[in-house]
Amino acid sequence: SAASTIFAVGKSQPAWTKIIPKPRKISRMTDNIIWQGKFDGKFEDKAYAEQVWNNHIEEVKDGLPADRLLVFQVKDGWGSLCAFLNLPIPDEAFPRVNDTAQFHEMIKGMNRMAHVPWIAGGVLIAAAIAAYLAFQ
């Protein structure tokens, strides 16, 4: 799912947004730590990425006592999480955010943002032409 969500968002980030300090820092951090770091620049190699992920999961499991570790799947909802934490199950539905559909909407928005410099440039050119013609 990471390939069609967080990785896809990073790949669809318009190049011009990387001149803005905060998006540039986030992009560099994500690339250095995750895509180039953890996945050695080979995230698009599915077999390699899955092996890196499975190794990571095993390292985490090996580093914690079993009674202090919950291997949790979001699709499981409140049940196992609340049991592990010894808390009652809330009356509200389990929150589901950042699902694939939401990421795809974000990607569509980012793809539209790629055109902003061209639109803004066209508006400026049209305004300049209109101003020139108005004073002729």
Side-chain angles (χ1 to χ4, degrees), residues 53-126:
W53 180 249
N54 290 332
N55 290 346
H56 173 75
I57 291 171
E58 291 308 313
E59 287 173 22
V60 171
K61 287 179 180 179
D62 291 344
L64 293 168
D67 64 328
R68 302 246 1 241
L69 174 69
L70 170 66
V71 177
F72 179 73
Q73 299 288 326
V74 173
K75 66 183 177 189
D76 295 340
W78 291 120
S80 62
L81 179 60
C82 291
F84 181 77
L85 297 172
N86 198 26
L87 294 170
I89 295 175
D91 292 331
E92 60 195 59
F94 189 83
R96 303 201 188 280
V97 296
N98 294 333
D99 64 10
T100 302
Q102 288 173 318
F103 270 92
H104 287 183
E105 285 303 312
M106 187 184 325
I107 292 165
K108 285 180 192 175
M110 292 179 92
N111 288 335
R112 286 189 294 271
M113 283 178 41
H115 304 292
V116 167
W118 298 108
I119 294 167
V123 169
L124 290 174
I125 291 169

Side-chain angles (χ1 to χ4, degrees), residues 22-68:
K22 189 167 186 168
R24 181 178 61 238
K25 286 179 185 178
I26 292 170
S27 180
R28 282 183 185 163
M29 178 195 69
T30 304
D31 192 52
N32 290 338
I33 293 172
I34 300 173
W35 311 125
Q36 298 305 319
K38 190 69 174 175
F39 292 99
D40 303 312
K42 298 187 236 178
F43 181 77
E44 292 180 279
D45 177 342
K46 186 175 180 177
Y48 182 82
E50 286 177 350
Q51 187 60 52
V52 167
W53 180 249
N54 290 332
N55 290 346
H56 173 75
I57 291 171
E58 291 308 313
E59 287 173 22
V60 171
K61 287 179 180 179
D62 291 344
L64 293 168
D67 64 328
R68 302 246 1 241

Side-chain angles (χ1 to χ4, degrees), residues 121-136:
V123 169
L124 290 174
I125 291 169
I129 292 169
Y132 174 79
L133 294 174
F135 291 106
Q136 292 301 314

